[in-house]
Each structure stands twice: as structure tokens, then as C-alpha cells.
Amino acid sequence: QVQLVESGGGLVQAGGSLRLSCVASGSIFSLNMGWYRQAPGKQRELVAAITSGGITNYAVAVKGRFTISRDNAKNTVYLQMYSLKPEDTAIYYCKGETYSFAYWGQGTQVTVSS
């Protein structure tokens, strides 16, 4: 079993930047990884994903502003966020999955003030 722990969230002003980290308790080498977020009153949505092979995809709302990356040697996935907007405010969750199982972190709060 893999446990995921997110960090790096916080309070920033609009236009600012944050880098979120997701550290796994075990190897993520064979996992597809992703970042999701859930804002108050909204469903959890995919923000960015990166396959075990390094292929990425992004939600339209964040494309061009966010970058997902992985460092398998550190068992860590990152989400670099630039040009943050108030609508980016949410709890951000890390996810790792195989074809048969998914792992979720506890989330880290990102709040963007105007």
C-alpha cells in the first residue's frame, strides 16, 4: 500500500505562485499520478495528470499556468502553480493509481485572495 502526503499549500495573493508536493511512502515508478482539487460547493475535478511514462494532461482552466512533474527517485510528484487566481482556491489532492487501485492523499489547502 502507498500513502500519499501533500504539502505546499497556503494563502497567496492573486497572481502569486505555489508549488505543491506529494510524497509517497513507496515507489511511484509504476503509478499514474494526478492532482485533483475540490472547491466549496463543487465536485472534485482533475487538475493535472502525469502517466508513469511522463505523459501529461491538464484541465482547461489551468493549462498554461500549472505544471505537473514527477521525480520517481524521490517518490514525489509536484504541481507548480503560477498566476494563481481566486477561482483556484480549493483543497488539492494527490492521486496515484494502477489499473486496479487508486491512492489518495489527505489534501492541502490552497487559498488565493483577490
Side-chain angles (χ1 to χ4, degrees):
Q1 299 89 340
V2 174
Q3 292 177 283
L4 305 174
V5 179
E6 304 95 332
S7 63
L11 174 63
V12 298
Q13 294 185 8
S17 301
L18 284 173
R19 187 174 73 163
L20 307 183
S21 297
C22 170
V23 180
S25 62
S27 176
I28 63 168
F29 185 81
S30 298
L31 300 180
N32 294 325
M33 305 297 298
W35 286 96
Y36 292 71
R37 67 186 182 187
Q38 188 163 24
K42 299 183 66 177
Q43 294 187 119
R44 188 172 298 187
E45 64 178 355
L46 175 69
V47 176
I50 183 166
T51 69
S52 60
I55 305 301
T56 60
N57 68 86
Y58 299 90
V60 172
V62 308
K63 194 168 187 177
R65 299 188 296 119
F66 292 8
T67 301
I68 187 171
S69 62
R70 63 192 296 156
D71 186 338
N72 290 339
K74 296 181 178 180
N75 294 328
T76 302
V77 178
Y78 303 96
L79 185 67
Q80 179 66 60
M81 306 185 293
Y82 295 112
S83 301
L84 284 162
K85 304 175 180 180
E87 50 262 47
D88 294 319
T89 295
I91 301 174
Y92 284 71
Y93 298 91
C94 181
K95 181 185 179 182
E97 63 181 343
T98 66
Y99 73 96
S100 61
F101 200 81
Y103 306 92
W104 289 93
Q106 292 296 111
T108 185
Q109 177 71 48
V110 171
T111 302
V112 184
S113 65
S114 59

